[in-house]
Amino acid sequence: MASVDNIQQFASLIRWSGVFFSLLIVTATWLLLKFINSMVESVGSQFVQYRMLLQKLQSFLQFFIYMTAGLMVFMLSFRINDHILALIGGTLAVSVGFALKDLAASFIAGMTVMIDRPFQVGDRVTFEGNYGDIIAIGLRSVRMRTLNDDIITIPNNKFLNEVTVSGNYGALDMQVVIPFYVGMNEDITFGA
């Protein structure tokens, strides 16, 4: 008996007249996204120098279209009252909190890195097996250029938990360790 009441309660939240329009919106959104994708591919193949820019714009536009269509479908398909609005608001707050947790940790760690200064821009550093020069220290991340000329972006909160080795620590010169071998048949004389 309780499950029948729950089903009736849930059915009363659905606006059945809006479900048809929601299906039309979903179909129109799908067609619009296919059209945008084909346009970006055709224009990107003709104007290669703008291909990356067009793909970035396409990503932002797709996100905006998804969010708009989702919001329209939700508003048309459901009757919204104070309880549902509070439930959605709480869910969104928790989701955003979890999403921003790492960003906030990197920001606070960035302040710590800037105050503590375990390394400086220009230092040659080893971090998690990567060896290179620090080229930028920001609030969210540190950028390092490896000896292979790769740019590595490291979130600042990693520096609070991992060991960082600085080869020169702000100095213009740096000690370099070079393996030196002496052959077995060589005569070693000291102080001649």
Side-chain angles (χ1 to χ4, degrees):
M1 191 66 166
S3 64
V4 173
D5 289 336
N6 289 338
I7 292 172
Q8 288 175 345
Q9 221 174 13
F10 181 72
S12 70
L13 296 176
I14 297 174
R15 187 180 298 154
W16 295 104
S17 61
V19 172
F20 174 74
F21 290 114
S22 296
L23 290 174
L24 289 176
I25 289 173
V26 168
T27 305
T29 302
W30 180 72
L31 290 172
L32 178 63
L33 290 173
K34 298 257 318 160
F35 174 74
I36 290 172
N37 189 28
S38 66
M39 287 298 294
V40 167
E41 284 183 16
S42 66
V43 172
S45 65
Q46 291 176 358
F47 301 101
V48 179
Q49 66 271 22
Y50 297 118
R51 188 182 72 219
M52 296 301 284
L53 176 66
L54 288 172
Q55 288 175 346
K56 289 177 187 176
L57 290 174
Q58 178 188 10
S59 296
F60 283 115
L61 189 60
Q62 280 181 343
F63 177 75
F64 176 74
I65 290 171
Y66 279 131
M67 293 302 291
T68 304
L71 186 63
M72 288 174 63
V73 164
F74 181 77
M75 296 299 282
L76 286 173
S77 299
F78 294 101
R79 292 183 177 90
I80 300 174
N81 59 24
D82 293 340
H83 298 293
I84 293 175
L85 205 54
L87 179 67
I88 292 170
T91 304
L92 285 175
V94 169
S95 301
V96 168
F98 277 121
L100 293 179
K101 177 183 65 91
D102 290 335
L103 182 64
S106 288
F107 180 76
I108 293 169
M111 298 296 280
T112 305
V113 166
M114 288 182 178
I115 292 170
D116 189 34
R117 299 181 64 94
F119 46 81
Q120 301 171 25
V121 173
D123 283 359
R124 187 150 286 184
V125 172
T126 302
F127 180 76
E128 287 187 345
N130 298 304
Y131 183 65
D133 298 324
I134 300 295
I135 58 173
I137 300 174
L139 285 176
R140 191 193 67 79
S141 64
V142 170
R143 285 195 173 79
M144 179 171 66
R145 183 185 313 270
T146 65
L147 300 180
N148 296 336
D149 204 30
D150 295 331
I151 304 294
I152 299 174
T153 302
I154 305 165
N156 284 332
N157 59 348
K158 297 274 189 182
F159 290 109
L160 296 180
N161 301 323
E162 301 294 328
V163 174
T164 305
V165 179
S166 180
N168 55 343
Y169 197 65
L172 295 177
D173 55 348
M174 183 172 91
Q175 181 178 2
V176 179
V177 177
I178 298 174
F180 181 72
Y181 301 100
V182 177
M184 294 289 286
N185 58 351
E186 297 295 322
D187 184 24
I188 300 174
T189 58
F190 293 104

